[in-house]
Amino acid sequence: MQTIPDKNSPDQIRNDALFLGKIPSSPHIEESISVPLLEIRDLTIHFIVHRRVTGPNVVVHAADKVSLFVKRGETLGLVGESGSGKTTVGRGALRLIEPTSGEVFLNGQNILKVHTRKLRDMRRKMQMVFQDPADSLNPRFTCRQTLVDALSHACYGSQDILRKALDLLESVGLNPSDLDKYPHQFSGGQQQRIAIARALAFTPELLILDEPTASLDVSVKTQVTQLLRELQKKFNLSFILISHDLSNVKYMTNRVAVMYLGQIIEIGNTSDIFSKPMHPYTRVLIDSVPVPDPDQKRKRASLIGEIPSATEPPAGCRFHTRCPIRFEICDQKEPHLAKLANGHMVACHLVNSSSE
Amino acid sequence: MSEPLLKVQDLKIHFSTFYGVAKAVDGISFEVQHGEALGLVGESGSGKSVTGMAILQLIQPPGKVVAGDIIFAGKSLVDYSEKEMQNVRGSKISMIFQNPRTCLNPVLTLGRQIDRVYLQHNNVTPAQASEHRLEMLSRVGIGDPIRFSNNYPHQVSGGMCQRAMIVMAIICEPQLVIADEPTTGLDVTIQRQIMELLAEMRERMNETQILITHDLGVVAETCHRIVVMYASRVMEVSPTRQLFNEPLHPYTIGLLNSIPRVDIDEQPTPLPGYVPNALNRPSGCPFHPRCSRAQERCQVEQPELVPVKDGRSAACFFVEK
Amino acid sequence: MDQVYPLKRPSIWHVIKVFMRRYDFEIYLLRRNPVTLLGLGIIVLVTLIAIFAPILAPYDPLALTSADRLMGPSAVHWMGTDDYGRDILSRVIYATRLDMVIATSAVSMAMFIGVILGAVAGFFGGIIGEVIMRILDVIQAFPAFILAMALAVSLGSGKMTIIYVVAFIMVPIFARLMRSEILSARGRGYIEAAHCMGASEMEIIFKQLIPNCITPILVQFALSMSYAILDAAALSFIGLGIRPPEAEWGSMVNAGVGYITSGQLWLSVFPGLVMAIAILGFNLLADGMRDVLDPKLRS
């Protein structure tokens, strides 16, 4: 008897993904066998900033046809300048912002098509750690209240809650005596640890880290980064790291997606991106990071101008207005993401024409 | 050696709060030579920004300079009256702030704001001022100075606001420019542009600069000499190259090892512990609770900043002379 | 490792200690600010007088003693007597009780309704928010006191009427304030975090947003108390509120007006003075509270 394949079965999804070219088929068969934990397909998010009575509305193209996937246990970096839409994609994946179109699959289930109640359940599997820990903790809740609140949402019985809260505190490196302190009594690094503990209360599968160390002190940053890596191993977590701090991204991620004006312009393994960046923007971005080594006299390609407004993105390749190596076709035709080896993909006419 | 342009001697600044006296700056000394770029590096709460404000005598109550001296071009700024200081600020010493958008007046055009500074310190007509402003703007690489001048701060990007701040700071051609985290909050590509602009201004206008920042990468690329501060005290003073190649103080070593690098594949090792609260500083050496080399002596006795070699100095008992 | 301590149910002393630690800064600010302390003192005193009116009042406020008509202030009658021979001090004390009850109930009611309306309007926005805010606009578009008079006339006089009327004209103040607070608070990180936790909208409003927006509401509460006293007295003064013989500040002032020209000032002056002091107390407290509760002062 022939069985009708379940539309949401892992195999079916993988086949779909293979068919759509989202997963590189060979030679890394073994890697691609695992179904991605999160898959985003053609996610588009537009904000209407100004409704006009006559003529078209003023629309911010915060994300345009963004496709990416996150495998279990891996870290995907999302980098770009402010205004590139990296935070929007992170929020869109959680449906904290309602996307204009596209699909977001968590474990094969489309999060954009579920109802409120189911959405709440699904969100718990994906937690977010925010940039400013002081802002992300309720100032009127003690550490205990914050954790108890989270744990009761995670459906723990009142018997287990305190014990679990202590476990969480321990796993993020805080003391039980910190339970009754208010957020303002902690330092930034400690506040971020509480925020991480709160996210872990749900035993999530995916953490979306929105600049988790940007507002922390230099000497504390690495502590928090290290903690996140330890927790990743311990709980087999997947991360999406949204950051503009490229050195941290290099240290933390397995794969990186570079965004510019709402589009992914390059995506690939971290080592590939940092050792041989293909897109001119990626190259400039990496070159621009100040390096704490005065002896290094690197050739620097500094970028002219600033990121254009996302209400009217440039025609053709969106980067052409600032690109140091643009040529005729760039302002007319939009480059598509072309596949290179190892799942490395680049959207640049120069790379595309040379590889074809 | 010639007389330094700025000399900070044993400066102490205290803030009295409900929770007690916060020693924001606790006896620091350093010098800035003519034409050099000095980096003041530290984490938040290390007292680096307060030091910058103190040089311009901008400390507001409940903060107070309780001891020490700031000597600028041979004269003590501490003795200056508010009126005399106003003549110094902007024309002899000027400051670039971290958040340009909140430091600019939202209801005045950028051009008006720049002109105000120039008119305050120079006996010129408004027409001359605006001519001078246009010239300066094109010197900092603004393509269309007239259009730029007619914009209000909210109409331009953060990078452009910072450019306007820089022009305001250098329009009177001051001898010393203090830049307090000038690139924090800007994107790396814009940060690079601003850093290049500051370096260019220093060379072309023979400025002396103090760059206050937490980013070791920024100082490595722009400064000649670096003062490392931690918990209100100076830990180490070194020329840039030596500091990065052979850091002396355990804090500097730990800090350098703890930052991930984009250029090399090396795993960072985090510094343990937290930055101490300004109200509750550890006894002895402020770094001892986090220091791997700390011994009993460090808990009791505060190490002084002593010269080591090659114009370097460090505040640690275990640095070899 | 000793993990027993936080697992115990915290003792009452522990809770008080945590509470004190939480508010030590406010207590400190209050101590540094003598004017606020004066306001607080006045209000505590007024409240105590209101609570213990039957014990404090030397005479029955309604007892007519025609022999003692219109006596000036003396050792027997500290504030004198009125045209029916009633002791003014006793009447002022009972009036305090009545006015405090009216003001507190009215403002509490306004606060309760206003906070909920404002929170809903601010959080959901859209059509619900627009409808709520426009209705409040209509209420505010009328001169408050004229509106109050019209309502009082249509509802008939009495204690409850004053409470409803004063509450009604104060709802928009609280709703507007709450809405603006919610609007600025709803973009905060902890609200987004609550969304991520799968918290429902009602939970976010009542558990996360309202407690964080309540500070300016409390200041407004103190400020509104003085207006409520003034409005209640004014309504009674023009005869739409509390009717004689019941003692109320406004109606007492009104009753004494006819005697001012003949030099028998005490009939109006004493109730008026006590009312002014009570209003001053609330205003001073509200002003000080703003400083004490302003989180910007904490840095």
Side-chain angles (χ1 to χ4, degrees), chain B residues 74-92:
Chain B
K75 290 197 189 88
S76 169
L77 294 181
V78 177
D79 303 335
Y80 272 31
S81 68
E82 178 57 29
K83 190 127 200 170
E84 286 168 310
M85 266 322 287
Q86 279 173 7
N87 289 327
V88 173
R89 286 181 209 136
S91 73
K92 301 226 173 59

PDB file of all heavy atoms in Angstrom, chain B residues 74-92:
ATOM      1  N   GLY B  74      50.701  75.779  30.879  1.00  0.00           N
ATOM      2  CA  GLY B  74      51.387  76.470  31.971  1.00  0.00           C
ATOM      3  C   GLY B  74      50.474  77.138  32.972  1.00  0.00           C
ATOM      4  O   GLY B  74      50.943  77.706  33.951  1.00  0.00           O
ATOM      5  N   LYS B  75      49.156  77.117  32.758  1.00  0.00           N
ATOM      6  CA  LYS B  75      48.254  77.768  33.719  1.00  0.00           C
ATOM      7  C   LYS B  75      47.304  76.740  34.322  1.00  0.00           C
ATOM      8  O   LYS B  75      46.856  75.825  33.640  1.00  0.00           O
ATOM      9  CB  LYS B  75      47.439  78.845  32.999  1.00  0.00           C
ATOM     10  CG  LYS B  75      48.279  80.032  32.586  1.00  0.00           C
ATOM     11  CD  LYS B  75      47.375  81.218  32.266  1.00  0.00           C
ATOM     12  CE  LYS B  75      48.170  82.349  31.642  1.00  0.00           C
ATOM     13  NZ  LYS B  75      48.264  82.239  30.173  1.00  0.00           N
ATOM     14  N   SER B  76      46.999  76.961  35.595  1.00  0.00           N
ATOM     15  CA  SER B  76      46.126  76.008  36.275  1.00  0.00           C
ATOM     16  C   SER B  76      44.662  76.324  35.986  1.00  0.00           C
ATOM     17  O   SER B  76      44.174  77.407  36.296  1.00  0.00           O
ATOM     18  CB  SER B  76      46.381  76.066  37.775  1.00  0.00           C
ATOM     19  OG  SER B  76      45.377  75.350  38.440  1.00  0.00           O
ATOM     20  N   LEU B  77      43.962  75.379  35.394  1.00  0.00           N
ATOM     21  CA  LEU B  77      42.558  75.607  35.054  1.00  0.00           C
ATOM     22  C   LEU B  77      41.660  75.576  36.279  1.00  0.00           C
ATOM     23  O   LEU B  77      40.561  76.112  36.263  1.00  0.00           O
ATOM     24  CB  LEU B  77      42.069  74.539  34.060  1.00  0.00           C
ATOM     25  CG  LEU B  77      42.682  74.538  32.670  1.00  0.00           C
ATOM     26  CD1 LEU B  77      42.060  73.445  31.835  1.00  0.00           C
ATOM     27  CD2 LEU B  77      42.488  75.882  31.986  1.00  0.00           C
ATOM     28  N   VAL B  78      42.149  74.955  37.333  1.00  0.00           N
ATOM     29  CA  VAL B  78      41.326  74.815  38.537  1.00  0.00           C
ATOM     30  C   VAL B  78      41.035  76.185  39.150  1.00  0.00           C
ATOM     31  O   VAL B  78      39.964  76.413  39.714  1.00  0.00           O
ATOM     32  CB  VAL B  78      42.022  73.879  39.545  1.00  0.00           C
ATOM     33  CG1 VAL B  78      41.231  73.775  40.830  1.00  0.00           C
ATOM     34  CG2 VAL B  78      42.197  72.505  38.935  1.00  0.00           C
ATOM     35  N   ASP B  79      41.989  77.125  38.996  1.00  0.00           N
ATOM     36  CA  ASP B  79      41.806  78.444  39.591  1.00  0.00           C
ATOM     37  C   ASP B  79      40.943  79.368  38.751  1.00  0.00           C
ATOM     38  O   ASP B  79      40.563  80.436  39.186  1.00  0.00           O
ATOM     39  CB  ASP B  79      43.176  79.119  39.788  1.00  0.00           C
ATOM     40  CG  ASP B  79      44.099  78.274  40.625  1.00  0.00           C
ATOM     41  OD1 ASP B  79      43.564  77.470  41.412  1.00  0.00           O
ATOM     42  OD2 ASP B  79      45.319  78.390  40.495  1.00  0.00           O
ATOM     43  N   TYR B  80      40.659  78.959  37.506  1.00  0.00           N
ATOM     44  CA  TYR B  80      39.914  79.843  36.615  1.00  0.00           C
ATOM     45  C   TYR B  80      38.492  80.043  37.109  1.00  0.00           C
ATOM     46  O   TYR B  80      37.860  79.142  37.647  1.00  0.00           O
ATOM     47  CB  TYR B  80      39.856  79.228  35.211  1.00  0.00           C
ATOM     48  CG  TYR B  80      41.031  79.589  34.338  1.00  0.00           C
ATOM     49  CD1 TYR B  80      42.287  79.832  34.882  1.00  0.00           C
ATOM     50  CD2 TYR B  80      40.890  79.679  32.958  1.00  0.00           C
ATOM     51  CE1 TYR B  80      43.360  80.146  34.081  1.00  0.00           C
ATOM     52  CE2 TYR B  80      41.967  79.993  32.137  1.00  0.00           C
ATOM     53  CZ  TYR B  80      43.197  80.227  32.703  1.00  0.00           C
ATOM     54  OH  TYR B  80      44.243  80.536  31.914  1.00  0.00           O
ATOM     55  N   SER B  81      37.987  81.270  36.894  1.00  0.00           N
ATOM     56  CA  SER B  81      36.578  81.516  37.192  1.00  0.00           C
ATOM     57  C   SER B  81      35.741  80.963  36.044  1.00  0.00           C
ATOM     58  O   SER B  81      36.257  80.640  34.973  1.00  0.00           O
ATOM     59  CB  SER B  81      36.320  83.011  37.335  1.00  0.00           C
ATOM     60  OG  SER B  81      36.485  83.624  36.074  1.00  0.00           O
ATOM     61  N   GLU B  82      34.423  80.882  36.288  1.00  0.00           N
ATOM     62  CA  GLU B  82      33.529  80.356  35.255  1.00  0.00           C
ATOM     63  C   GLU B  82      33.640  81.188  33.980  1.00  0.00           C
ATOM     64  O   GLU B  82      33.668  80.668  32.874  1.00  0.00           O
ATOM     65  CB  GLU B  82      32.095  80.355  35.801  1.00  0.00           C
ATOM     66  CG  GLU B  82      31.024  79.874  34.852  1.00  0.00           C
ATOM     67  CD  GLU B  82      31.243  78.470  34.310  1.00  0.00           C
ATOM     68  OE1 GLU B  82      31.874  77.657  35.013  1.00  0.00           O
ATOM     69  OE2 GLU B  82      30.805  78.193  33.176  1.00  0.00           O
ATOM     70  N   LYS B  83      33.767  82.500  34.149  1.00  0.00           N
ATOM     71  CA  LYS B  83      33.844  83.405  33.000  1.00  0.00           C
ATOM     72  C   LYS B  83      35.118  83.120  32.186  1.00  0.00           C
ATOM     73  O   LYS B  83      35.088  83.061  30.958  1.00  0.00           O
ATOM     74  CB  LYS B  83      33.853  84.843  33.523  1.00  0.00           C
ATOM     75  CG  LYS B  83      33.691  85.844  32.425  1.00  0.00           C
ATOM     76  CD  LYS B  83      32.548  86.785  32.731  1.00  0.00           C
ATOM     77  CE  LYS B  83      32.116  87.415  31.420  1.00  0.00           C
ATOM     78  NZ  LYS B  83      30.938  88.147  31.454  1.00  0.00           N
ATOM     79  N   GLU B  84      36.215  82.956  32.902  1.00  0.00           N
ATOM     80  CA  GLU B  84      37.477  82.682  32.201  1.00  0.00           C
ATOM     81  C   GLU B  84      37.427  81.335  31.491  1.00  0.00           C
ATOM     82  O   GLU B  84      37.950  81.186  30.392  1.00  0.00           O
ATOM     83  CB  GLU B  84      38.648  82.713  33.196  1.00  0.00           C
ATOM     84  CG  GLU B  84      39.020  84.101  33.641  1.00  0.00           C
ATOM     85  CD  GLU B  84      39.962  84.091  34.829  1.00  0.00           C
ATOM     86  OE1 GLU B  84      39.671  83.389  35.820  1.00  0.00           O
ATOM     87  OE2 GLU B  84      40.994  84.762  34.756  1.00  0.00           O
ATOM     88  N   MET B  85      36.765  80.373  32.146  1.00  0.00           N
ATOM     89  CA  MET B  85      36.668  79.052  31.539  1.00  0.00           C
ATOM     90  C   MET B  85      35.868  79.101  30.240  1.00  0.00           C
ATOM     91  O   MET B  85      36.158  78.408  29.280  1.00  0.00           O
ATOM     92  CB  MET B  85      35.982  78.064  32.497  1.00  0.00           C
ATOM     93  CG  MET B  85      36.888  77.239  33.376  1.00  0.00           C
ATOM     94  SD  MET B  85      38.407  76.667  32.631  1.00  0.00           S
ATOM     95  CE  MET B  85      37.830  75.398  31.523  1.00  0.00           C
ATOM     96  N   GLN B  86      34.840  79.968  30.224  1.00  0.00           N
ATOM     97  CA  GLN B  86      34.031  80.059  29.008  1.00  0.00           C
ATOM     98  C   GLN B  86      34.863  80.497  27.815  1.00  0.00           C
ATOM     99  O   GLN B  86      34.587  80.114  26.680  1.00  0.00           O
ATOM    100  CB  GLN B  86      32.874  81.038  29.231  1.00  0.00           C
ATOM    101  CG  GLN B  86      31.717  80.395  29.972  1.00  0.00           C
ATOM    102  CD  GLN B  86      30.652  81.390  30.345  1.00  0.00           C
ATOM    103  OE1 GLN B  86      30.700  82.548  29.942  1.00  0.00           O
ATOM    104  NE2 GLN B  86      29.709  80.939  31.138  1.00  0.00           N
ATOM    105  N   ASN B  87      35.882  81.324  28.079  1.00  0.00           N
ATOM    106  CA  ASN B  87      36.753  81.724  26.980  1.00  0.00           C
ATOM    107  C   ASN B  87      37.677  80.598  26.540  1.00  0.00           C
ATOM    108  O   ASN B  87      38.159  80.584  25.415  1.00  0.00           O
ATOM    109  CB  ASN B  87      37.584  82.940  27.387  1.00  0.00           C
ATOM    110  CG  ASN B  87      36.719  84.175  27.477  1.00  0.00           C
ATOM    111  OD1 ASN B  87      35.758  84.297  26.724  1.00  0.00           O
ATOM    112  ND2 ASN B  87      37.033  85.056  28.406  1.00  0.00           N
ATOM    113  N   VAL B  88      37.950  79.686  27.469  1.00  0.00           N
ATOM    114  CA  VAL B  88      38.823  78.568  27.129  1.00  0.00           C
ATOM    115  C   VAL B  88      38.051  77.516  26.343  1.00  0.00           C
ATOM    116  O   VAL B  88      38.497  77.028  25.319  1.00  0.00           O
ATOM    117  CB  VAL B  88      39.424  77.952  28.412  1.00  0.00           C
ATOM    118  CG1 VAL B  88      40.194  76.687  28.083  1.00  0.00           C
ATOM    119  CG2 VAL B  88      40.301  78.957  29.118  1.00  0.00           C
ATOM    120  N   ARG B  89      36.841  77.216  26.823  1.00  0.00           N
ATOM    121  CA  ARG B  89      36.042  76.170  26.192  1.00  0.00           C
ATOM    122  C   ARG B  89      35.683  76.550  24.758  1.00  0.00           C
ATOM    123  O   ARG B  89      35.190  77.631  24.500  1.00  0.00           O
ATOM    124  CB  ARG B  89      34.729  75.959  26.957  1.00  0.00           C
ATOM    125  CG  ARG B  89      34.912  75.249  28.258  1.00  0.00           C
ATOM    126  CD  ARG B  89      33.562  75.056  28.942  1.00  0.00           C
ATOM    127  NE  ARG B  89      33.775  75.021  30.371  1.00  0.00           N
ATOM    128  CZ  ARG B  89      33.017  75.654  31.264  1.00  0.00           C
ATOM    129  NH1 ARG B  89      32.009  76.381  30.857  1.00  0.00           N
ATOM    130  NH2 ARG B  89      33.276  75.554  32.542  1.00  0.00           N
ATOM    131  N   GLY B  90      35.930  75.671  23.869  1.00  0.00           N
ATOM    132  CA  GLY B  90      35.574  75.931  22.476  1.00  0.00           C
ATOM    133  C   GLY B  90      36.687  76.591  21.702  1.00  0.00           C
ATOM    134  O   GLY B  90      36.907  76.264  20.557  1.00  0.00           O
ATOM    135  N   SER B  91      37.395  77.534  22.344  1.00  0.00           N
ATOM    136  CA  SER B  91      38.432  78.202  21.571  1.00  0.00           C
ATOM    137  C   SER B  91      39.814  77.602  21.824  1.00  0.00           C
ATOM    138  O   SER B  91      40.624  77.524  20.913  1.00  0.00           O
ATOM    139  CB  SER B  91      38.442  79.700  21.876  1.00  0.00           C
ATOM    140  OG  SER B  91      38.970  79.935  23.151  1.00  0.00           O
ATOM    141  N   LYS B  92      40.102  77.206  23.050  1.00  0.00           N
ATOM    142  CA  LYS B  92      41.420  76.603  23.320  1.00  0.00           C
ATOM    143  C   LYS B  92      41.309  75.094  23.522  1.00  0.00           C
ATOM    144  O   LYS B  92      42.140  74.329  23.046  1.00  0.00           O
ATOM    145  CB  LYS B  92      42.039  77.247  24.571  1.00  0.00           C
ATOM    146  CG  LYS B  92      42.213  78.743  24.437  1.00  0.00           C
ATOM    147  CD  LYS B  92      43.572  79.176  24.909  1.00  0.00           C
ATOM    148  CE  LYS B  92      43.823  80.647  24.615  1.00  0.00           C
ATOM    149  NZ  LYS B  92      42.836  81.543  25.252  1.00  0.00           N
TER     150      LYS B  92
END
